[in-house]
Amino acid sequence: MSVETIAVGAESVYRPQYDSWLLIEALERSNAVAGRRVVDLCTGSGVVAIAAAELGAREVTALDISPGAVCSTQANALAAQVDVEVVLGSWSQAQEHGPFDVVVCNPPYVPVGPETSVGEVAATGPMVSWNGGPDGRSVLDPLCRSAAAMLAEGGSLFLVQSEFADIEQSLASLRMSGMDAKVVADQRIPFGPVLHAQMRWLRDSGRLRHGRVEEQLVVIRADKL
Ligand SMILES: C[S@@+](CC[C@H](N)C(=O)[O-])C[C@H]1O[C@@H](n2cnc3c(N)ncnc32)[C@H](O)[C@@H]1O
């Protein structure tokens, strides 16, 4: 089964998109996955976890706090005929299942203004999938601080995020924890419905220049030395 044919099942599950594909492409190019123990921390439909299994990972574990995402990942892994251990729970519980050779994550990273209500953005998908708090870093900050602890010696983190959630802050935090961190992939994409809904907040909080309707996504790779 090709990852392009991933089914989302419940509407409450994040539909794979630019960030999912950018992360998978970075994994494919890295040669870091075959024969390794991998964890996908915010798995959604399981698209990245399944890609890791198809790239020859020795074991794949996937976590998500959404029961719909867990069901979706189990169904997609079955259809793809790959083994993925799917766990209902927060990414922060991954350490209990580790250590891992490779940690992959497409976390919620969109900066979300205080006036945003679930009703306002209902058409743009489940808020838990993309809501990164006022600065987009509610998962990124603790994840960058604790990634090294989930990894075995010589292991690597692959993390995708937006420019609007402060790429430099992620790099600095990962380096502070003793990892060698760099951007290994980037792409400019048009604003989708989620960012259109947050444009005012992005402008008011100084993250967005007037008239700009493109977002830069990056994949950060951080190696545990
Ligand atoms: C941007 S989606 C990524 C989904 C998938 N990995 C992909 O690339 O298409 C983020 C996912 O993180 C999950 N999530 C949000 N907060 C979480 C947390 N604290 N722990 C684990 N998963 C979380 C959401 O339910 C959602 O499925």
Side-chain angles (χ1 to χ4, degrees), residues 1-223:
M1 178 181 176
S2 147
V3 290
E4 278 84 0
T5 60
I6 288 286
V8 169
E11 263 184 34
S12 61
V13 180
Y14 187 79
R15 189 171 295 280
Q17 46 200 276
Y18 290 107
D19 46 8
S20 324
W21 308 130
L22 192 65
L23 181 55
I24 290 169
E25 282 162 21
L27 289 178
E28 286 168 351
R29 276 200 310 276
S30 72
N31 289 323
V33 171
R36 317 288 301 280
R37 202 171 170 214
V38 178
V39 65
D40 179 15
L41 295 182
C42 291
T43 200
S45 63
V47 65
V48 184
I50 291 165
E54 290 181 339
L55 285 169
R58 177 159 53 91
E59 278 176 46
V60 182
T61 304
L63 290 100
D64 203 290
I65 46 166
S66 151
V70 167
C71 289
S72 179
T73 299
Q74 285 167 334
N76 282 319
L78 195 65
Q81 299 182 311
V82 294
D83 281 333
V84 176
E85 189 198 348
V86 193
V87 179
L88 175 64
S90 169
W91 66 267
S92 57
Q93 292 163 25
Q95 228 174 308
E96 296 161 22
H97 303 266
F100 298 95
D101 302 308
V102 180
V103 173
V104 297
C105 191
N106 178 4
Y109 54 70
V110 176
V112 171
E115 284 158 28
T116 304
S117 71
V118 176
E120 217 180 303
V121 292
T124 58
M127 208 166 158
V128 69
S129 291
W130 44 264
N131 181 355
D135 61 359
R137 300 199 56 85
S138 61
V139 172
L140 285 168
D141 277 335
L143 173 60
C144 290
R145 281 197 298 269
S146 58
M150 296 178 201
L151 286 165
E153 290 302 314
S156 303
L157 166 75
F158 290 82
L159 169 68
V160 63
Q161 71 164 91
S162 162
E163 64 176 303
F164 298 125
D166 199 341
I167 296 162
E168 287 306 319
Q169 178 61 35
S170 296
L171 291 168
S173 172
L174 289 163
R175 288 170 187 152
M176 282 276 290
S177 68
M179 299 181 82
D180 180 19
K182 57 181 177 292
V183 171
V184 292
D186 74 303
Q187 184 180 21
R188 284 187 186 277
I189 63 165
F191 276 19
V194 168
L195 279 193
H196 272 294
Q198 295 306 317
M199 272 174 89
R200 186 165 168 190
W201 171 243
L202 291 174
R203 268 197 225 109
D204 290 352
S205 60
R207 291 178 172 82
L208 180 65
R209 279 199 325 271
H210 198 76
R212 181 135 181 258
V213 286
E214 267 192 334
E215 176 188 22
Q216 181 191 22
L217 297 179
V218 301
V219 176
I220 292 173
R221 174 176 179 160
D223 297 320

